[in-house]
PDB file of all heavy atoms in Angstrom:
ATOM      1  N   VAL A  47       2.742 103.735  22.139  1.00 73.00           N
ATOM      2  CA  VAL A  47       3.946 104.403  21.826  1.00 73.00           C
ATOM      3  C   VAL A  47       4.898 103.346  21.181  1.00 73.00           C
ATOM      4  O   VAL A  47       5.554 103.668  20.140  1.00 73.00           O
ATOM      5  CB  VAL A  47       4.604 105.044  23.108  1.00 73.00           C
ATOM      6  CG1 VAL A  47       5.975 105.582  22.758  1.00 73.00           C
ATOM      7  CG2 VAL A  47       3.696 106.167  23.601  1.00 73.00           C
ATOM      8  N   LYS A  48       5.003 102.159  21.821  1.00 73.00           N
ATOM      9  CA  LYS A  48       5.885 101.176  21.217  1.00 73.00           C
ATOM     10  C   LYS A  48       5.403 100.698  19.822  1.00 73.00           C
ATOM     11  O   LYS A  48       6.246 100.644  18.895  1.00 73.00           O
ATOM     12  CB  LYS A  48       5.864  99.908  22.084  1.00 73.00           C
ATOM     13  CG  LYS A  48       6.826  98.812  21.612  1.00 73.00           C
ATOM     14  CD  LYS A  48       6.756  97.603  22.538  1.00 73.00           C
ATOM     15  CE  LYS A  48       5.461  96.874  22.162  1.00 73.00           C
ATOM     16  NZ  LYS A  48       5.282  95.582  22.680  1.00 73.00           N
ATOM     17  N   SER A  49       4.154 100.595  19.613  1.00 75.00           N
ATOM     18  CA  SER A  49       3.641 100.221  18.310  1.00 75.00           C
ATOM     19  C   SER A  49       3.922 101.351  17.291  1.00 75.00           C
ATOM     20  O   SER A  49       4.322 101.047  16.152  1.00 75.00           O
ATOM     21  CB  SER A  49       2.144  99.965  18.297  1.00 75.00           C
ATOM     22  OG  SER A  49       1.846  98.929  19.203  1.00 75.00           O
ATOM     23  N   SER A  50       3.743 102.570  17.701  1.00 73.00           N
ATOM     24  CA  SER A  50       4.059 103.696  16.822  1.00 73.00           C
ATOM     25  C   SER A  50       5.523 103.715  16.467  1.00 73.00           C
ATOM     26  O   SER A  50       5.926 103.950  15.298  1.00 73.00           O
ATOM     27  CB  SER A  50       3.666 105.062  17.479  1.00 73.00           C
ATOM     28  OG  SER A  50       4.097 106.139  16.725  1.00 73.00           O
ATOM     29  N   ILE A  51       6.394 103.487  17.386  1.00 73.00           N
ATOM     30  CA  ILE A  51       7.826 103.520  17.167  1.00 73.00           C
ATOM     31  C   ILE A  51       8.188 102.368  16.250  1.00 73.00           C
ATOM     32  O   ILE A  51       8.946 102.530  15.285  1.00 73.00           O
ATOM     33  CB  ILE A  51       8.629 103.443  18.492  1.00 73.00           C
ATOM     34  CG1 ILE A  51       8.442 104.722  19.246  1.00 73.00           C
ATOM     35  CG2 ILE A  51      10.062 103.140  18.241  1.00 73.00           C
ATOM     36  CD1 ILE A  51       9.023 104.730  20.657  1.00 73.00           C
ATOM     37  N   ILE A  52       7.680 101.157  16.445  1.00 72.00           N
ATOM     38  CA  ILE A  52       8.015 100.013  15.613  1.00 72.00           C
ATOM     39  C   ILE A  52       7.526 100.296  14.170  1.00 72.00           C
ATOM     40  O   ILE A  52       8.248  99.991  13.178  1.00 72.00           O
ATOM     41  CB  ILE A  52       7.398  98.696  16.201  1.00 72.00           C
ATOM     42  CG1 ILE A  52       8.132  98.351  17.500  1.00 72.00           C
ATOM     43  CG2 ILE A  52       7.508  97.579  15.183  1.00 72.00           C
ATOM     44  CD1 ILE A  52       7.456  97.217  18.248  1.00 72.00           C
ATOM     45  N   TYR A  53       6.347 100.786  14.066  1.00 72.00           N
ATOM     46  CA  TYR A  53       5.811 101.094  12.674  1.00 72.00           C
ATOM     47  C   TYR A  53       6.694 102.127  11.970  1.00 72.00           C
ATOM     48  O   TYR A  53       7.048 101.961  10.858  1.00 72.00           O
ATOM     49  CB  TYR A  53       4.393 101.630  12.800  1.00 72.00           C
ATOM     50  CG  TYR A  53       3.812 102.023  11.448  1.00 72.00           C
ATOM     51  CD1 TYR A  53       3.365 101.089  10.566  1.00 72.00           C
ATOM     52  CD2 TYR A  53       3.791 103.355  11.158  1.00 72.00           C
ATOM     53  CE1 TYR A  53       2.869 101.417   9.315  1.00 72.00           C
ATOM     54  CE2 TYR A  53       3.261 103.730   9.833  1.00 72.00           C
ATOM     55  CZ  TYR A  53       2.838 102.756   8.997  1.00 72.00           C
ATOM     56  OH  TYR A  53       2.338 103.113   7.748  1.00 72.00           O
ATOM     57  N   SER A  54       7.121 103.118  12.732  1.00 72.00           N
ATOM     58  CA  SER A  54       7.958 104.148  12.119  1.00 72.00           C
ATOM     59  C   SER A  54       9.346 103.648  11.818  1.00 72.00           C
ATOM     60  O   SER A  54       9.952 104.024  10.793  1.00 72.00           O
ATOM     61  CB  SER A  54       8.068 105.381  13.015  1.00 72.00           C
ATOM     62  OG  SER A  54       6.878 105.997  13.176  1.00 72.00           O
ATOM     63  N   LEU A  55       9.839 102.739  12.662  1.00 69.00           N
ATOM     64  CA  LEU A  55      11.176 102.184  12.403  1.00 69.00           C
ATOM     65  C   LEU A  55      11.202 101.272  11.144  1.00 69.00           C
ATOM     66  O   LEU A  55      12.209 101.177  10.464  1.00 69.00           O
ATOM     67  CB  LEU A  55      11.674 101.389  13.557  1.00 69.00           C
ATOM     68  CG  LEU A  55      12.020 102.194  14.856  1.00 69.00           C
ATOM     69  CD1 LEU A  55      12.381 101.269  15.952  1.00 69.00           C
ATOM     70  CD2 LEU A  55      13.166 103.190  14.613  1.00 69.00           C
ATOM     71  N   ASN A  56      10.038 100.719  10.837  1.00 69.00           N
ATOM     72  CA  ASN A  56       9.927  99.915   9.631  1.00 69.00           C
ATOM     73  C   ASN A  56       9.763 100.764   8.399  1.00 69.00           C
ATOM     74  O   ASN A  56       9.988 100.311   7.261  1.00 69.00           O
ATOM     75  CB  ASN A  56       8.795  98.906   9.705  1.00 69.00           C
ATOM     76  CG  ASN A  56       9.025  97.873  10.779  1.00 69.00           C
ATOM     77  OD1 ASN A  56      10.173  97.476  10.996  1.00 69.00           O
ATOM     78  ND2 ASN A  56       7.981  97.392  11.418  1.00 69.00           N
ATOM     79  N   ASN A  57       9.369 102.012   8.542  1.00 68.00           N
ATOM     80  CA  ASN A  57       9.224 102.945   7.437  1.00 68.00           C
ATOM     81  C   ASN A  57      10.111 104.197   7.676  1.00 68.00           C
ATOM     82  O   ASN A  57       9.656 105.202   8.097  1.00 68.00           O
ATOM     83  CB  ASN A  57       7.802 103.402   7.335  1.00 68.00           C
ATOM     84  CG  ASN A  57       6.851 102.203   7.083  1.00 68.00           C
ATOM     85  OD1 ASN A  57       7.177 101.361   6.377  1.00 68.00           O
ATOM     86  ND2 ASN A  57       5.733 102.273   7.807  1.00 68.00           N
ATOM     87  N   TRP A  58      11.436 104.010   7.339  1.00 63.00           N
ATOM     88  CA  TRP A  58      12.369 105.124   7.669  1.00 63.00           C
ATOM     89  C   TRP A  58      12.107 106.357   6.873  1.00 63.00           C
ATOM     90  O   TRP A  58      12.651 107.443   7.158  1.00 63.00           O
ATOM     91  CB  TRP A  58      13.822 104.589   7.399  1.00 63.00           C
ATOM     92  CG  TRP A  58      14.359 103.961   8.575  1.00 63.00           C
ATOM     93  CD1 TRP A  58      14.579 102.580   8.708  1.00 63.00           C
ATOM     94  CD2 TRP A  58      14.738 104.533   9.790  1.00 63.00           C
ATOM     95  NE1 TRP A  58      15.025 102.352   9.953  1.00 63.00           N
ATOM     96  CE2 TRP A  58      15.164 103.459  10.662  1.00 63.00           C
ATOM     97  CE3 TRP A  58      14.731 105.811  10.280  1.00 63.00           C
ATOM     98  CZ2 TRP A  58      15.598 103.712  11.935  1.00 63.00           C
ATOM     99  CZ3 TRP A  58      15.221 106.004  11.598  1.00 63.00           C
ATOM    100  CH2 TRP A  58      15.640 104.967  12.371  1.00 63.00           C
ATOM    101  N   ASP A  59      11.306 106.313   5.836  1.00 63.00           N
ATOM    102  CA  ASP A  59      11.072 107.515   5.032  1.00 63.00           C
ATOM    103  C   ASP A  59      10.357 108.555   5.841  1.00 63.00           C
ATOM    104  O   ASP A  59      10.470 109.749   5.608  1.00 63.00           O
ATOM    105  CB  ASP A  59      10.221 107.177   3.800  1.00 63.00           C
ATOM    106  CG  ASP A  59      10.913 106.181   2.888  1.00 63.00           C
ATOM    107  OD1 ASP A  59      12.137 106.097   2.932  1.00 63.00           O
ATOM    108  OD2 ASP A  59      10.239 105.444   2.133  1.00 63.00           O
ATOM    109  N   ASN A  60       9.532 108.143   6.836  1.00 71.00           N
ATOM    110  CA  ASN A  60       8.726 109.095   7.643  1.00 71.00           C
ATOM    111  C   ASN A  60       9.445 109.551   8.910  1.00 71.00           C
ATOM    112  O   ASN A  60       8.921 110.364   9.623  1.00 71.00           O
ATOM    113  CB  ASN A  60       7.436 108.423   8.042  1.00 71.00           C
ATOM    114  CG  ASN A  60       6.602 108.064   6.827  1.00 71.00           C
ATOM    115  OD1 ASN A  60       6.702 108.644   5.761  1.00 71.00           O
ATOM    116  ND2 ASN A  60       5.778 107.015   7.014  1.00 71.00           N
ATOM    117  N   VAL A  61      10.609 109.010   9.239  1.00 75.00           N
ATOM    118  CA  VAL A  61      11.277 109.333  10.476  1.00 75.00           C
ATOM    119  C   VAL A  61      12.105 110.567  10.312  1.00 75.00           C
ATOM    120  O   VAL A  61      12.922 110.657   9.398  1.00 75.00           O
ATOM    121  CB  VAL A  61      12.165 108.140  11.025  1.00 75.00           C
ATOM    122  CG1 VAL A  61      12.899 108.528  12.246  1.00 75.00           C
ATOM    123  CG2 VAL A  61      11.301 106.927  11.250  1.00 75.00           C
ATOM    124  N   THR A  62      11.866 111.510  11.271  1.00 78.00           N
ATOM    125  CA  THR A  62      12.650 112.689  11.302  1.00 78.00           C
ATOM    126  C   THR A  62      13.190 112.925  12.703  1.00 78.00           C
ATOM    127  O   THR A  62      12.667 112.312  13.642  1.00 78.00           O
ATOM    128  CB  THR A  62      11.772 113.982  10.922  1.00 78.00           C
ATOM    129  OG1 THR A  62      10.722 114.088  11.888  1.00 78.00           O
ATOM    130  CG2 THR A  62      11.185 113.833   9.482  1.00 78.00           C
ATOM    131  N   PRO A  63      14.167 113.777  12.877  1.00 81.00           N
ATOM    132  CA  PRO A  63      14.598 113.997  14.243  1.00 81.00           C
ATOM    133  C   PRO A  63      13.497 114.572  15.185  1.00 81.00           C
ATOM    134  O   PRO A  63      13.419 114.216  16.375  1.00 81.00           O
ATOM    135  CB  PRO A  63      15.674 115.062  14.081  1.00 81.00           C
ATOM    136  CG  PRO A  63      16.215 114.899  12.729  1.00 81.00           C
ATOM    137  CD  PRO A  63      15.024 114.458  11.906  1.00 81.00           C
ATOM    138  N   GLN A  64      12.576 115.334  14.575  1.00 84.00           N
ATOM    139  CA  GLN A  64      11.504 115.890  15.385  1.00 84.00           C
ATOM    140  C   GLN A  64      10.497 114.741  15.849  1.00 84.00           C
ATOM    141  O   GLN A  64       9.994 114.803  16.924  1.00 84.00           O
ATOM    142  CB  GLN A  64      10.723 116.880  14.570  1.00 84.00           C
ATOM    143  CG  GLN A  64      11.480 118.164  14.278  1.00 84.00           C
ATOM    144  CD  GLN A  64      12.453 118.019  13.117  1.00 84.00           C
ATOM    145  OE1 GLN A  64      12.359 117.086  12.330  1.00 84.00           O
ATOM    146  NE2 GLN A  64      13.382 118.956  13.004  1.00 84.00           N
ATOM    147  N   LYS A  65      10.351 113.773  14.971  1.00 82.00           N
ATOM    148  CA  LYS A  65       9.474 112.638  15.295  1.00 82.00           C
ATOM    149  C   LYS A  65      10.103 111.836  16.433  1.00 82.00           C
ATOM    150  O   LYS A  65       9.373 111.419  17.403  1.00 82.00           O
ATOM    151  CB  LYS A  65       9.233 111.775  14.109  1.00 82.00           C
ATOM    152  CG  LYS A  65       8.157 110.725  14.280  1.00 82.00           C
ATOM    153  CD  LYS A  65       7.782 110.029  13.044  1.00 82.00           C
ATOM    154  CE  LYS A  65       6.361 109.541  13.167  1.00 82.00           C
ATOM    155  NZ  LYS A  65       5.816 109.093  11.889  1.00 82.00           N
ATOM    156  N   VAL A  66      11.382 111.585  16.329  1.00 81.00           N
ATOM    157  CA  VAL A  66      12.053 110.816  17.448  1.00 81.00           C
ATOM    158  C   VAL A  66      12.036 111.623  18.751  1.00 81.00           C
ATOM    159  O   VAL A  66      11.791 111.049  19.801  1.00 81.00           O
ATOM    160  CB  VAL A  66      13.522 110.457  17.014  1.00 81.00           C
ATOM    161  CG1 VAL A  66      14.220 109.762  18.130  1.00 81.00           C
ATOM    162  CG2 VAL A  66      13.534 109.577  15.788  1.00 81.00           C
ATOM    163  N   ASN A  67      12.191 112.939  18.602  1.00 84.00           N
ATOM    164  CA  ASN A  67      12.067 113.802  19.807  1.00 84.00           C
ATOM    165  C   ASN A  67      10.662 113.741  20.424  1.00 84.00           C
ATOM    166  O   ASN A  67      10.485 113.690  21.656  1.00 84.00           O
ATOM    167  CB  ASN A  67      12.424 115.218  19.387  1.00 84.00           C
ATOM    168  CG  ASN A  67      12.586 116.129  20.642  1.00 84.00           C
ATOM    169  OD1 ASN A  67      12.207 115.763  21.723  1.00 84.00           O
ATOM    170  ND2 ASN A  67      13.122 117.322  20.420  1.00 84.00           N
ATOM    171  N   SER A  68       9.645 113.607  19.507  1.00 83.00           N
ATOM    172  CA  SER A  68       8.279 113.512  20.080  1.00 83.00           C
ATOM    173  C   SER A  68       8.113 112.146  20.777  1.00 83.00           C
ATOM    174  O   SER A  68       7.391 112.094  21.777  1.00 83.00           O
ATOM    175  CB  SER A  68       7.250 113.680  18.929  1.00 83.00           C
ATOM    176  OG  SER A  68       7.282 112.563  18.043  1.00 83.00           O
ATOM    177  N   TRP A  69       8.781 111.097  20.303  1.00 82.00           N
ATOM    178  CA  TRP A  69       8.712 109.788  21.025  1.00 82.00           C
ATOM    179  C   TRP A  69       9.264 109.986  22.457  1.00 82.00           C
ATOM    180  O   TRP A  69       8.712 109.477  23.380  1.00 82.00           O
ATOM    181  CB  TRP A  69       9.467 108.739  20.320  1.00 82.00           C
ATOM    182  CG  TRP A  69       9.003 108.388  18.935  1.00 82.00           C
ATOM    183  CD1 TRP A  69       7.780 108.572  18.382  1.00 82.00           C
ATOM    184  CD2 TRP A  69       9.781 107.704  17.925  1.00 82.00           C
ATOM    185  NE1 TRP A  69       7.743 108.105  17.155  1.00 82.00           N
ATOM    186  CE2 TRP A  69       8.948 107.523  16.798  1.00 82.00           C
ATOM    187  CE3 TRP A  69      11.026 107.183  17.861  1.00 82.00           C
ATOM    188  CZ2 TRP A  69       9.338 106.934  15.655  1.00 82.00           C
ATOM    189  CZ3 TRP A  69      11.453 106.533  16.702  1.00 82.00           C
ATOM    190  CH2 TRP A  69      10.608 106.436  15.633  1.00 82.00           C
ATOM    191  N   ARG A  70      10.414 110.694  22.485  1.00 84.00           N
ATOM    192  CA  ARG A  70      11.034 110.904  23.829  1.00 84.00           C
ATOM    193  C   ARG A  70      10.103 111.644  24.711  1.00 84.00           C
ATOM    194  O   ARG A  70       9.987 111.369  25.918  1.00 84.00           O
ATOM    195  CB  ARG A  70      12.404 111.578  23.599  1.00 84.00           C
ATOM    196  CG  ARG A  70      13.190 111.686  24.904  1.00 84.00           C
ATOM    197  CD  ARG A  70      14.663 111.995  24.665  1.00 84.00           C
ATOM    198  NE  ARG A  70      14.882 112.866  23.542  1.00 84.00           N
ATOM    199  CZ  ARG A  70      15.292 114.145  23.673  1.00 84.00           C
ATOM    200  NH1 ARG A  70      15.393 114.725  24.862  1.00 84.00           N
ATOM    201  NH2 ARG A  70      15.495 114.898  22.568  1.00 84.00           N
ATOM    202  N   ARG A  71       9.439 112.699  24.205  1.00 86.00           N
ATOM    203  CA  ARG A  71       8.544 113.475  24.998  1.00 86.00           C
ATOM    204  C   ARG A  71       7.346 112.626  25.425  1.00 86.00           C
ATOM    205  O   ARG A  71       6.850 112.755  26.569  1.00 86.00           O
ATOM    206  CB  ARG A  71       8.066 114.683  24.216  1.00 86.00           C
ATOM    207  CG  ARG A  71       9.118 115.790  24.124  1.00 86.00           C
ATOM    208  CD  ARG A  71       8.562 117.116  23.654  1.00 86.00           C
ATOM    209  NE  ARG A  71       7.696 117.023  22.501  1.00 86.00           N
ATOM    210  CZ  ARG A  71       8.053 117.208  21.230  1.00 86.00           C
ATOM    211  NH1 ARG A  71       9.291 117.567  20.929  1.00 86.00           N
ATOM    212  NH2 ARG A  71       7.152 117.101  20.268  1.00 86.00           N
ATOM    213  N   LEU A  72       6.862 111.718  24.543  1.00 84.00           N
ATOM    214  CA  LEU A  72       5.800 110.749  24.948  1.00 84.00           C
ATOM    215  C   LEU A  72       6.192 109.869  26.103  1.00 84.00           C
ATOM    216  O   LEU A  72       5.430 109.693  27.055  1.00 84.00           O
ATOM    217  CB  LEU A  72       5.336 109.962  23.772  1.00 84.00           C
ATOM    218  CG  LEU A  72       4.403 110.597  22.752  1.00 84.00           C
ATOM    219  CD1 LEU A  72       4.204 109.738  21.573  1.00 84.00           C
ATOM    220  CD2 LEU A  72       3.058 110.849  23.422  1.00 84.00           C
ATOM    221  N   VAL A  73       7.396 109.302  25.956  1.00 84.00           N
ATOM    222  CA  VAL A  73       7.834 108.415  27.005  1.00 84.00           C
ATOM    223  C   VAL A  73       8.017 109.174  28.346  1.00 84.00           C
ATOM    224  O   VAL A  73       7.658 108.682  29.368  1.00 84.00           O
ATOM    225  CB  VAL A  73       9.185 107.679  26.578  1.00 84.00           C
ATOM    226  CG1 VAL A  73       9.839 106.968  27.759  1.00 84.00           C
ATOM    227  CG2 VAL A  73       8.969 106.723  25.401  1.00 84.00           C
ATOM    228  N   HIS A  74       8.593 110.400  28.206  1.00 85.00           N
ATOM    229  CA  HIS A  74       8.706 111.234  29.413  1.00 85.00           C
ATOM    230  C   HIS A  74       7.348 111.626  29.991  1.00 85.00           C
ATOM    231  O   HIS A  74       7.187 111.569  31.243  1.00 85.00           O
ATOM    232  CB  HIS A  74       9.484 112.464  29.064  1.00 85.00           C
ATOM    233  CG  HIS A  74       9.719 113.365  30.220  1.00 85.00           C
ATOM    234  ND1 HIS A  74      10.575 113.061  31.233  1.00 85.00           N
ATOM    235  CD2 HIS A  74       9.183 114.588  30.578  1.00 85.00           C
ATOM    236  CE1 HIS A  74      10.486 114.046  32.176  1.00 85.00           C
ATOM    237  NE2 HIS A  74       9.691 114.965  31.743  1.00 85.00           N
ATOM    238  N   GLY A  75       6.383 111.864  29.127  1.00 86.00           N
ATOM    239  CA  GLY A  75       5.037 112.202  29.685  1.00 86.00           C
ATOM    240  C   GLY A  75       4.355 110.981  30.348  1.00 86.00           C
ATOM    241  O   GLY A  75       3.725 111.212  31.394  1.00 86.00           O
ATOM    242  N   ILE A  76       4.579 109.818  29.820  1.00 83.00           N
ATOM    243  CA  ILE A  76       3.984 108.693  30.466  1.00 83.00           C
ATOM    244  C   ILE A  76       4.641 108.378  31.794  1.00 83.00           C
ATOM    245  O   ILE A  76       3.997 108.074  32.815  1.00 83.00           O
ATOM    246  CB  ILE A  76       4.105 107.384  29.544  1.00 83.00           C
ATOM    247  CG1 ILE A  76       3.188 107.551  28.337  1.00 83.00           C
ATOM    248  CG2 ILE A  76       3.808 106.099  30.284  1.00 83.00           C
ATOM    249  CD1 ILE A  76       3.463 106.500  27.260  1.00 83.00           C
ATOM    250  N   ARG A  77       5.968 108.653  31.864  1.00 84.00           N
ATOM    251  CA  ARG A  77       6.690 108.504  33.096  1.00 84.00           C
ATOM    252  C   ARG A  77       6.177 109.508  34.139  1.00 84.00           C
ATOM    253  O   ARG A  77       6.025 109.208  35.300  1.00 84.00           O
ATOM    254  CB  ARG A  77       8.164 108.732  32.930  1.00 84.00           C
ATOM    255  CG  ARG A  77       8.840 107.561  32.281  1.00 84.00           C
ATOM    256  CD  ARG A  77      10.280 107.901  32.042  1.00 84.00           C
ATOM    257  NE  ARG A  77      11.019 106.689  31.700  1.00 84.00           N
ATOM    258  CZ  ARG A  77      12.304 106.612  31.941  1.00 84.00           C
ATOM    259  NH1 ARG A  77      12.992 107.542  32.431  1.00 84.00           N
ATOM    260  NH2 ARG A  77      12.867 105.454  31.588  1.00 84.00           N
ATOM    261  N   GLU A  78       5.911 110.696  33.710  1.00 87.00           N
ATOM    262  CA  GLU A  78       5.371 111.772  34.605  1.00 87.00           C
ATOM    263  C   GLU A  78       3.993 111.352  35.144  1.00 87.00           C
ATOM    264  O   GLU A  78       3.750 111.612  36.297  1.00 87.00           O
ATOM    265  CB  GLU A  78       5.336 113.104  33.903  1.00 87.00           C
ATOM    266  CG  GLU A  78       6.652 113.731  33.669  1.00 87.00           C
ATOM    267  CD  GLU A  78       7.412 114.090  34.939  1.00 87.00           C
ATOM    268  OE1 GLU A  78       6.728 114.628  35.858  1.00 87.00           O
ATOM    269  OE2 GLU A  78       8.554 113.816  35.013  1.00 87.00           O
ATOM    270  N   GLN A  79       3.196 110.735  34.250  1.00 85.00           N
ATOM    271  CA  GLN A  79       1.873 110.322  34.731  1.00 85.00           C
ATOM    272  C   GLN A  79       1.986 109.203  35.796  1.00 85.00           C
ATOM    273  O   GLN A  79       1.233 109.236  36.758  1.00 85.00           O
ATOM    274  CB  GLN A  79       1.042 109.845  33.567  1.00 85.00           C
ATOM    275  CG  GLN A  79       0.590 110.946  32.645  1.00 85.00           C
ATOM    276  CD  GLN A  79      -0.130 110.418  31.392  1.00 85.00           C
ATOM    277  OE1 GLN A  79      -0.284 109.223  31.237  1.00 85.00           O
ATOM    278  NE2 GLN A  79      -0.629 111.354  30.578  1.00 85.00           N
ATOM    279  N   THR A  80       2.856 108.271  35.576  1.00 82.00           N
ATOM    280  CA  THR A  80       3.031 107.189  36.537  1.00 82.00           C
ATOM    281  C   THR A  80       3.549 107.732  37.853  1.00 82.00           C
ATOM    282  O   THR A  80       3.134 107.322  38.908  1.00 82.00           O
ATOM    283  CB  THR A  80       3.913 106.070  36.027  1.00 82.00           C
ATOM    284  OG1 THR A  80       5.214 106.558  35.678  1.00 82.00           O
ATOM    285  CG2 THR A  80       3.336 105.347  34.828  1.00 82.00           C
ATOM    286  N   ASN A  81       4.477 108.701  37.761  1.00 82.00           N
ATOM    287  CA  ASN A  81       5.048 109.284  38.989  1.00 82.00           C
ATOM    288  C   ASN A  81       3.945 110.095  39.768  1.00 82.00           C
ATOM    289  O   ASN A  81       3.882 110.060  40.993  1.00 82.00           O
ATOM    290  CB  ASN A  81       6.165 110.243  38.693  1.00 82.00           C
ATOM    291  CG  ASN A  81       7.452 109.446  38.287  1.00 82.00           C
ATOM    292  OD1 ASN A  81       7.567 108.285  38.644  1.00 82.00           O
ATOM    293  ND2 ASN A  81       8.329 110.047  37.565  1.00 82.00           N
ATOM    294  N   PHE A  82       3.110 110.793  38.962  1.00 85.00           N
ATOM    295  CA  PHE A  82       2.013 111.541  39.633  1.00 85.00           C
ATOM    296  C   PHE A  82       1.015 110.582  40.298  1.00 85.00           C
ATOM    297  O   PHE A  82       0.578 110.817  41.406  1.00 85.00           O
ATOM    298  CB  PHE A  82       1.289 112.466  38.571  1.00 85.00           C
ATOM    299  CG  PHE A  82       0.092 113.139  39.121  1.00 85.00           C
ATOM    300  CD1 PHE A  82       0.260 114.229  40.018  1.00 85.00           C
ATOM    301  CD2 PHE A  82      -1.180 112.728  38.799  1.00 85.00           C
ATOM    302  CE1 PHE A  82      -0.819 114.881  40.520  1.00 85.00           C
ATOM    303  CE2 PHE A  82      -2.307 113.381  39.331  1.00 85.00           C
ATOM    304  CZ  PHE A  82      -2.115 114.474  40.193  1.00 85.00           C
ATOM    305  N   ALA A  83       0.690 109.506  39.561  1.00 82.00           N
ATOM    306  CA  ALA A  83      -0.291 108.529  40.199  1.00 82.00           C
ATOM    307  C   ALA A  83       0.281 107.881  41.399  1.00 82.00           C
ATOM    308  O   ALA A  83      -0.385 107.678  42.388  1.00 82.00           O
ATOM    309  CB  ALA A  83      -0.633 107.466  39.140  1.00 82.00           C
ATOM    310  N   ALA A  84       1.638 107.588  41.335  1.00 81.00           N
ATOM    311  CA  ALA A  84       2.245 106.997  42.543  1.00 81.00           C
ATOM    312  C   ALA A  84       2.315 107.967  43.701  1.00 81.00           C
ATOM    313  O   ALA A  84       2.037 107.570  44.828  1.00 81.00           O
ATOM    314  CB  ALA A  84       3.697 106.562  42.147  1.00 81.00           C
ATOM    315  N   LYS A  85       2.585 109.245  43.426  1.00 82.00           N
ATOM    316  CA  LYS A  85       2.590 110.238  44.487  1.00 82.00           C
ATOM    317  C   LYS A  85       1.230 110.417  45.082  1.00 82.00           C
ATOM    318  O   LYS A  85       1.027 110.568  46.313  1.00 82.00           O
ATOM    319  CB  LYS A  85       3.126 111.571  43.929  1.00 82.00           C
ATOM    320  CG  LYS A  85       3.337 112.611  45.030  1.00 82.00           C
ATOM    321  CD  LYS A  85       3.755 113.924  44.449  1.00 82.00           C
ATOM    322  CE  LYS A  85       5.203 113.864  43.958  1.00 82.00           C
ATOM    323  NZ  LYS A  85       5.711 115.146  43.534  1.00 82.00           N
ATOM    324  N   TYR A  86       0.198 110.417  44.246  1.00 85.00           N
ATOM    325  CA  TYR A  86      -1.185 110.632  44.625  1.00 85.00           C
ATOM    326  C   TYR A  86      -1.648 109.472  45.500  1.00 85.00           C
ATOM    327  O   TYR A  86      -2.390 109.639  46.473  1.00 85.00           O
ATOM    328  CB  TYR A  86      -2.039 110.823  43.417  1.00 85.00           C
ATOM    329  CG  TYR A  86      -3.528 111.028  43.764  1.00 85.00           C
ATOM    330  CD1 TYR A  86      -3.987 112.171  44.284  1.00 85.00           C
ATOM    331  CD2 TYR A  86      -4.476 109.962  43.502  1.00 85.00           C
ATOM    332  CE1 TYR A  86      -5.329 112.358  44.620  1.00 85.00           C
ATOM    333  CE2 TYR A  86      -5.775 110.139  43.806  1.00 85.00           C
ATOM    334  CZ  TYR A  86      -6.184 111.330  44.404  1.00 85.00           C
ATOM    335  OH  TYR A  86      -7.551 111.506  44.681  1.00 85.00           O
TER     336      TYR A  86
END
């Protein structure tokens, strides 16, 4: 996710609000996975 964000930040032509929102959903999804693993 970090590599994808850095790559996109270097190429602002491809960045849209939807893409940034998808980054947020990815970070949230990874957090949910870590919370699930911790609970399990």
Side-chain angles (χ1 to χ4, degrees):
V47 173
K48 181 184 76 169
S49 298
S50 171
I51 291 172
I52 291 171
Y53 177 76
S54 296
L55 291 176
N56 291 331
N57 301 318
W58 273 107
D59 300 337
N60 300 332
V61 176
T62 62
Q64 294 80 15
K65 190 171 205 169
V66 178
N67 190 347
S68 71
W69 296 342
R70 188 163 34 108
R71 285 193 314 263
L72 278 172
V73 169
H74 181 70
I76 292 170
R77 286 176 167 207
E78 289 296 316
Q79 289 176 357
T80 58
N81 288 336
F82 176 73
K85 186 184 287 186
Y86 179 72

